[in-house]
Amino acid sequence: MSRQAQGAVLLILGAALLSISAFSTTYVNYVKPGFRPLLVGAGAVLAVLGLLSVVADVLGRPAAHDHDHDHGHGHGPRVAWLLAAPVFALVLVAPPALGAFAARRTDGPPAPPRTAAYHALAGSEVTELTLGEFIGRAYAPSGPSLAGRQVRLIGFAVPAEDGRGWYLARMQLRCCAADALALEVAVHGAPAPAEDSWVAVTGTWIPWQHGVPDDYAVPAVTATSVTGIEQPAEPYE
């Protein structure tokens, strides 16, 4: 591959990274928000290197070329465009954030440590919690911190595979979408919304019947209301 073709590929890759990180928030569908500066920096470096490579090749090319040399160089940009086709597909048809399909195919998080301690919930009528905190509080030795309290949870709907009931879910990232885990809460007392639709569920925790289980079990809530919402700007926890 010619220097010009290499430069074109670098320039396209850099522009794609900048497009999803510097000029939009599409990057949060793939990595945690804290990675934005790194993505912007990497995109800028790739774009500059690509541009310099293309300019250097154009300025350094001899004034006269034989036919075969011109013909060989003519294929460089074409190859670069073919190699960059997947990048254009990513920008033009960006995959959405992980949803119900991915949630069904993860093993779920391990049981939270029993030593976790949580402060008492505020005295407001409804307390908004992340799914991660709700699950942690359900497993904490001081489980009664949730007892009888109205909580508001946000996530997307995942119908149960057996067709009975549904789950409120949200994916949790350690680094990027490749290592995502599904946080799920079983919802009782309300019909299942459309799969992958984002909803806010207000309800009360259903205490464990036989105490906190040794193995992981999905906590549950009795819903008093389920309201459709837009997908949050940051879809992962």
Side-chain angles (χ1 to χ4, degrees), residues 112 118 129-137 172 183 237:
Y118 292 92
L129 299 176
T130 64
L131 292 189
E133 182 176 351
F134 179 85
I135 293 171
R137 284 180 177 273
Q172 184 180 64
L183 302 175
E237 286 194 8

Side-chain angles (χ1 to χ4, degrees), residues 58-217:
V58 171
L59 295 179
R61 192 181 303 173
H65 300 277
D66 59 37
H67 177 75
D68 291 338
H69 187 69
D70 282 341
H71 183 71
H73 268 277
H75 286 290
R78 297 177 191 174
V79 173
W81 286 113
L82 289 175
L83 291 174
V87 180
F88 281 112
L90 177 65
V91 174
L92 297 176
V93 189
L98 299 177
F101 180 85
R104 290 195 183 98
R105 281 153 183 78
T106 64
D107 296 330
R114 304 295 179 83
T115 56
Y118 292 92
H119 58 76
L121 294 176
S124 59
E125 289 187 11
V126 178
T127 302
E128 183 166 328
L129 299 176
T130 64
L131 292 189
E133 182 176 351
F134 179 85
I135 293 171
R137 284 180 177 273
Y139 270 88
S142 56
S145 68
L146 287 175
R149 298 301 304 268
Q150 286 273 315
V151 296
R152 185 174 184 264
L153 308 173
I154 292 176
F156 55 86
V158 181
E161 292 187 350
D162 60 6
R164 301 177 181 178
W166 61 285
Y167 300 93
L168 184 71
R170 200 153 179 179
M171 305 301 288
Q172 184 180 64
L173 302 188
R174 295 188 185 130
C175 171
C176 60
D179 61 20
L181 294 174
L183 302 175
E184 294 182 320
V185 173
V187 181
H188 299 283
E195 181 174 298
D196 275 328
S197 60
W198 281 83
V199 294
V201 174
T202 300
T204 55
W205 172 57
I206 300 176
W208 311 111
Q209 290 185 352
H210 305 291
V212 179
D214 294 327
D215 297 324
Y216 184 75

